[in-house]
Each structure stands twice: as C-alpha cells, then as structure tokens.
C-alpha cells in the first residue's frame, strides 16, 4: 500500500511539473503586460480551485488556520516576486537562482522534518545544478541586487510551501493556494489593465489559470504529501528544460546550444532519478 502511494506521488508531481512548464506557451500567445496576465491568470486559477474544493469538499479543510494563512502568504509572495525579479535582473539569473529550489527544499526538509537526504538525491541535485549553470551560461549573470534578492525570496518561499505540504500531509492546503491566487489578483489589479484582453485572450488566460496553476497545484498537493519534500522539488525541476521545449514544438523557436545541453542534463538527471527511486519502491 505504501509503495502504491509512493508511486502515485512520483506520478502526480511529474504531471504537475509538466503543467507548470506550459507557462512559456501561454505567455508567448498573450500580447499583454505582465501584471494583466498575472491578474487574470490568478482569477481563473482561484475560480478553478474554488470549484475543485467545492466538489471535492470532504477531503479539504476550508476553515482558516494559522498554517493555512502562512502557506497562502508564502505562495503569494513567491508569485508576486517573480515579475519584478524578471524586470530588475536577467531572466537567466532568475532561472539560475530558481534552479536552487531543490537545495533549499532538501535543507528545510532535513532541518524541519528530519528527512534524510539520500546519496542519490544529493547526486541528482548536484547534477541538476550543473545543468542549470550550463543552461544560463551564454546569457551572462550581470544583474541588479534587488532583482537577485526577489528571485531568492521567490525560490525560498516555493521551497517553504513544498515542505509545508509535506509536513501537513494529512490535510490538503489547496484552500491556501486558492487564497494566495485571490490575494495576487487583488494586488495585481493595482498595476494591471484589466479591460485590455480580448475574448480570445480571455480564453487563453482561462486555460493558463486552469492548466499551469490549477491542475498543477492539485496534482502537486496530492503528490507532495506522498513523497519526501526534496524529491518532490527535484522532480519539479523538470519544468526548467520542458518550458523551452514546448515553445520550440509549438512555435519553432530554436533553443540555444546551452539550453539544449543544460536542459538535457537536467532532464536526464531527473528521469534517471525517477527510474532509480521507482525501482527502489518496487522492492519488497
């Protein structure tokens, strides 16, 4: 029974990583400013999560709790920090810093939950970090201090939420993720142009919120409760190489050599780790 739960955890987190990696596709087809995209994406994501919580209500705690508020605030900070970080520093630097999420998660899981970090996990994290460095090598790392700080804050908050989900795996924190999206949409309204999207753009924004946020967090929440936080974060790193792959597949935008090599290293490392851990889970 535990082995089945572990395999489901691996599968669900992998699905969430694929869903998260579609962000580039939606951004590519939406000629809107970042705050307007964030406003509508968060609104649609909150609506989807609210419907999911209503339909699947008995499994989720809808009463506000202290940890729920902390998770909602942390997730909102992570989502809000992403846009100004990209504006104040290079995208490559944000990607490089975000690539350290598994490291933060492994350390937090060890300090807070007492989870042991397997040698295979350490090797996969090191290999993935090397792949991230290769991926951003050609773009340079000149950046602003504030942008760096925001990217680090986003990374740390993402890792913190992952560990919280694992720590309170007996309950669902999807209500907190829904609240975070409501908060983000309200704050984004101060900077967005909410009436600028056309009907076609609203359809894309609805799909953006449904797939890249709603479905991603539903599967991640279900999967992260079944496997160690460090493993969930490591599998989530598949988002980094998959994002340019989808854009290339849909729009023919050829990635650079460093993107191909770095993405290949990350993908091979994560897939190899998945196969190794799935093999261990299959043993009696």
């Amino acid at each position: 029974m535990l082995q089945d739960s572990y395999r489901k955890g691996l599968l669900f987190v992998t699905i969430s990583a694929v869903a998260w990696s579609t962000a580039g596709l939606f951004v590519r087809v939406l000629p809107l400013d970042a705050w307007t995209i964030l406003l509508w994406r968060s609104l649609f994501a909150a609506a989807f999560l609210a419907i999911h919580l209503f339909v699947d209500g008995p499994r989720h705690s809808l009463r506000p709790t202290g940890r729920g508020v902390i998770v909602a605030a942390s997730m909102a900070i992570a989502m809000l920090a992403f846009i100004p970080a990209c504006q104040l520093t290079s995208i490559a630097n944000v990607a490089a810093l975000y690539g350290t999420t598994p490291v933060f998660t492994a350390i937090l899981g060890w300090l807070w939950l007492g989870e042991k970090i397997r040698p295979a996990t350490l090797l996969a994290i090191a290999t993935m970090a090397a792949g991230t460095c290769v991926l951003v090598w050609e773009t340079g790392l000149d950046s602003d201090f504030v942008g760096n700080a925001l990217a680090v804050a986003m990374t740390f908050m993402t890792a913190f939420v992952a560990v919280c989900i694992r720590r309170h795996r007996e309950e669902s924190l999807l209500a907190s993720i829904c609240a975070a999206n409501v908060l983000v949409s309200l704050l984004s309204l101060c900077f967005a142009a909410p009436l600028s999207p056309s009907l076609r753009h609203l359809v894309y924004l609805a799909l953006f919120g449904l797939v890249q946020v709603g479905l991603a967090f539903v599967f991640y929440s279900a999967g992260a409760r079944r496997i160690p936080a460090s493993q969930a974060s490591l599998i989530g790193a598949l988002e980094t190489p998959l994002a340019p792959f989808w854009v290339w597949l849909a729009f023919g935008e050829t990635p650079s050599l460093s993107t191909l090599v770095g993405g290949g290293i990350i993908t091979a490392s994560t897939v190899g780790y998945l196969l190794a851990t799935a093999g261990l889970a299959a043993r009696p």
Side-chain angles (χ1 to χ4, degrees):
M1 192 70 177
L2 289 175
Q3 293 175 0
D4 290 340
S5 177
Y6 184 76
R7 291 194 194 97
K8 286 182 179 178
L10 294 176
L11 175 63
F12 290 164
V13 175
T14 302
I15 293 174
S16 72
V18 174
W20 273 322
S21 70
T22 61
L25 282 175
F26 291 106
V27 172
R28 181 69 172 76
V29 299
L30 288 168
L32 305 170
D33 66 277
W35 289 109
T36 300
I37 292 176
L38 189 58
L39 165 67
W40 285 104
R41 186 195 70 169
S42 298
L43 278 176
F44 284 118
F48 169 78
L49 289 172
I51 294 172
H52 175 77
L53 289 169
F54 177 78
V55 174
D56 203 28
R59 298 185 182 182
H60 306 281
S61 174
L62 301 180
R63 291 185 305 171
T65 61
R67 56 178 169 266
V69 172
I70 292 174
V71 169
S74 301
M75 199 67 249
I77 291 172
M79 289 189 286
L80 288 169
F82 175 71
I83 290 180
C86 291
Q87 292 174 337
L88 295 173
T89 186
S90 67
I91 299 296
N93 213 25
V94 175
L97 290 169
Y98 187 71
T100 63
T101 302
V103 179
F104 279 106
T105 307
I107 293 174
L108 285 174
W110 172 59
L111 292 175
W112 188 10
L113 309 181
E115 293 183 346
K116 294 181 179 180
I117 306 176
R118 298 176 179 177
T121 303
L122 284 175
L123 176 61
I125 288 174
T127 307
M128 186 213 64
T132 302
C133 292
V134 173
L135 191 146
V136 302
W137 180 262
E138 293 182 356
T139 54
L141 294 177
D142 294 333
S143 58
D144 184 83
F145 175 79
V146 177
N148 278 344
L150 288 171
V152 170
M154 173 191 69
T155 302
F156 179 80
M157 289 302 176
T158 302
F160 176 74
V161 169
V163 177
C164 281
I165 292 175
R166 174 64 175 173
R167 171 65 178 83
H168 304 287
R169 54 185 176 273
E170 72 282 355
E171 64 180 88
S172 171
L173 294 175
L174 280 180
S176 300
I177 304 300
C178 181
N181 278 278
V182 172
L183 179 60
V184 168
S185 63
L186 291 175
L187 292 175
S188 300
L189 187 60
C190 301
F191 309 100
L195 301 180
S196 59
S198 65
L199 181 59
R200 180 167 61 90
H201 294 154
L202 286 175
V203 173
Y204 289 145
L205 287 164
L207 289 172
F208 198 176
L210 169 65
V211 176
Q212 201 265 338
V213 181
L215 289 178
F217 274 109
V218 167
F219 278 104
Y220 186 83
S221 177
R225 298 200 302 270
R226 291 175 165 87
I227 62 177
S230 59
Q231 294 182 17
S233 183
L234 181 62
I235 297 168
L238 275 174
E239 172 191 357
T240 302
L242 284 177
F245 172 75
W246 300 132
V247 175
W248 166 77
L249 199 63
F251 304 106
E253 293 184 4
T254 305
S256 65
L257 180 61
S258 62
T259 299
L260 289 173
V261 175
I265 293 174
I266 295 173
T267 304
S269 173
T270 309
V271 171
Y273 181 77
L274 278 171
L275 293 174
T277 50
L280 289 174
R283 296 178 182 177

